[in-house]
Amino acid sequence: MFLENASLQARNTFAIAANSRFLAEVTTSAQLIDLLHTVTAKNLPVLVLGGGSNIVLSQDVAGLVICPKLMGIRCLEDQNDTVIIEAAAGENWHDFVQYCLAQGWYGLENLSLIPGTVGAAPIQNIGAYGVEIKDCFHSLTAVARQTGIAREFSLSDCLFGYRDSVFKQALKDAYIITHVRFQLSKKATVKLQYGDIAAELAQQHIHSPLPVDVARAVIRIRQRKLPDPAKIGNAGSFFKNPVIPQALFSDLKHQYPNIVAYPQGEQVKLAAGWLIEQTGWKGRTLGKAGVYEKQALVLVNRGGAQGKDVLALAHAIQRDVLAKFGVSLEIEANII
Ligand code: EPU
């Protein structure tokens, strides 16, 4: 059941070489629960790995890596305007989004082409182009790591925030998600408020876009700006966009009139990519890690990078952004 000394290089999108002492793939909830009982009996530390698209492996894993491979998509409820769809944790996120679109179940199209699995998506409340998973979320089922007992989480239980949920806070490493349910619309409404989408559609001369047009626009924008992990190792946005108080923003705006920012309630969210670009890091390389040429928020593996190379680069960027703007950049990827 366990693989020993398993290579994780093909299991993380940064393509960092690291090994795990043990590794197990599970395809059903029953297998997962069995495995958790063994793990508790042996007192093994556990790392759960979905698509490996948001981690930096800075060392070998001393315990057990569990890869949830539960598959399946089903419609639980079909009403006049809405459906409730359940997907198992091991489903590929992008494929799931395209499947929903093809069935005429709308709401997730702005989240096309995000790497990773369905089970990982709620943990950081994945978001892009004006939509977050919380906007279509219904509920999820997760198994407690300590007891193997399954529990249902509602929208409010998950405490979703910007790239955040209860599974990154109070319940960090406490549960393994097995199934996620979404409430999707059968009405073809589209969300175009993120500037890049409207511009992309206008350029294609599409004036009354359908959800499928939005998905195609998002795919084109992402392919232009973000490196394909199959070709260039990366973990998407490496830092969160920092949210700062209005007073600090006013000072920065005075000094840097072109600063890119978005109102966030009483506060202001800055484009971290812009801040990094201003420090001169965009396109540069340190050791075997680099800053992507087309999007400064994305760190990449220039070939043979180890976790420590990526972290050295990240720390240099954090230091320079702090020195220039007085703003701390928080790492968004999980450092193992
Ligand atoms: N910008 C620059 N230089 C750069 C990059 C960005 O000046 O090198 C400025 C530009 O003005 C640009 C603005 O920043 O218009 C925003 O850039 P972009 O639209 O690429 O979005 P982002 O804020 O850098 C966030 C998410 C992405 C998501 C996009 C689109 C975070 C941490 N990142 O990036 O999510 O795809 O918005 O919604 O919130 C991810 O989480 O892995 C990810 C890729």
Side-chain angles (χ1 to χ4, degrees):
M1 193 178 189
F2 289 177
L3 288 173
E4 272 190 62
N5 286 324
S7 167
L8 300 177
Q9 191 162 20
R11 294 178 188 265
N12 74 96
T13 60
F14 242 121
I16 289 170
N19 288 336
S20 144
R21 186 162 161 229
F22 301 111
L23 182 142
E25 293 187 347
V26 290
T27 55
T28 64
S29 298
Q31 265 182 14
L32 174 62
I33 291 165
D34 261 8
L35 183 64
L36 287 171
H37 287 139
T38 315
V39 164
T40 313
K42 290 189 192 294
N43 207 11
L44 270 179
V46 165
L47 169 70
V48 182
L49 200 53
S53 55
N54 201 40
I55 61 161
V56 180
L57 293 164
S58 66
Q59 55 189 342
D60 285 336
V61 178
L64 168 70
V65 167
I66 298 181
C67 302
K69 298 283 177 188
L70 294 83
M71 304 304 279
I73 301 172
R74 55 193 187 127
C75 178
L76 299 182
E77 249 182 70
D78 190 340
Q79 292 180 346
N80 284 347
D81 293 339
T82 60
V83 283
I84 295 176
I85 307 301
E86 179 179 84
E91 290 286 344
N92 173 276
W93 175 262
H94 173 71
D95 293 347
F96 168 63
V97 172
Q98 303 316 300
Y99 177 81
C100 291
L101 205 49
Q103 305 304 310
W105 302 331
Y106 306 123
L108 296 174
E109 45 285 343
N110 298 45
L111 304 177
S112 292
L113 216 61
I114 295 183
T117 58
V118 166
I123 293 179
Q124 59 153 333
N125 180 28
I126 59 169
Y129 306 101
V131 174
E132 291 180 334
I133 198 180
K134 76 163 168 43
D135 302 330
C136 297
F137 180 87
H138 179 272
S139 58
L140 64 79
T141 305
V143 173
R145 291 197 195 187
Q146 285 300 318
T147 61
I149 294 172
R151 175 185 155 186
E152 185 159 331
F153 288 79
S154 67
L155 175 65
S156 59
D157 292 335
C158 291
L159 302 177
F160 288 124
Y162 167 56
R163 294 294 189 279
D164 200 22
S165 77
V166 72
F167 303 106
K168 284 181 80 173
Q169 303 294 337
L171 297 182
K172 186 171 163 55
D173 296 336
Y175 281 87
I176 299 179
I177 295 171
T178 59
H179 296 86
V180 187
R181 289 169 289 278
F182 299 89
Q183 177 153 24
L184 301 177
S185 172
K186 292 202 269 183
K187 286 204 216 146
T189 45
V190 289
K191 296 197 181 110
L192 307 175
Q193 67 268 44
Y194 202 90
D196 278 5
I197 296 189
E200 181 70 25
L201 289 167
Q203 219 219 334
Q204 304 283 324
H205 307 290
I206 297 172
H207 303 294
S208 307
L210 295 169
V212 67
D213 299 314
V214 174
R216 285 193 192 124
V218 166
I219 290 169
R220 274 196 300 270
I221 297 166
R222 291 188 73 101
Q223 284 173 337
R224 243 188 349 249
K225 281 195 174 177
L226 298 168
D228 176 356
K231 296 183 187 133
I232 302 174
N234 76 92
S237 295
F238 198 86
F239 303 98
K240 284 190 186 183
N241 283 326
V243 179
I244 62 166
Q246 184 67 50
L248 174 57
F249 175 67
S250 302
D251 290 350
L252 286 172
K253 178 84 182 160
H254 187 68
Q255 224 180 328
Y256 303 99
N258 296 330
I259 191 165
V260 181
Y262 318 90
Q264 176 95 345
E266 306 269 281
Q267 299 187 296
V268 180
K269 189 193 263 185
L270 302 179
W274 186 88
L275 299 174
I276 296 169
E277 188 168 348
Q278 302 310 303
T279 63
W281 273 108
K282 191 169 181 173
R284 276 176 61 193
T285 298
L286 182 70
K288 291 178 173 170
V291 181
Y292 191 52
E293 291 66 20
K294 299 174 196 163
Q295 217 313 358
L297 197 45
V298 178
L299 304 194
V300 295
N301 185 344
R302 298 275 190 220
Q306 295 186 319
K308 63 174 169 24
D309 297 311
V310 176
L311 291 182
L313 173 60
H315 294 149
I317 292 170
Q318 283 174 316
R319 186 195 58 214
D320 288 358
V321 168
L322 184 63
K324 192 172 169 77
F325 298 103
V327 172
S328 300
L329 289 185
E330 185 189 338
I331 292 180
E332 195 246 327
N334 293 314
I335 312 298
I336 306 299

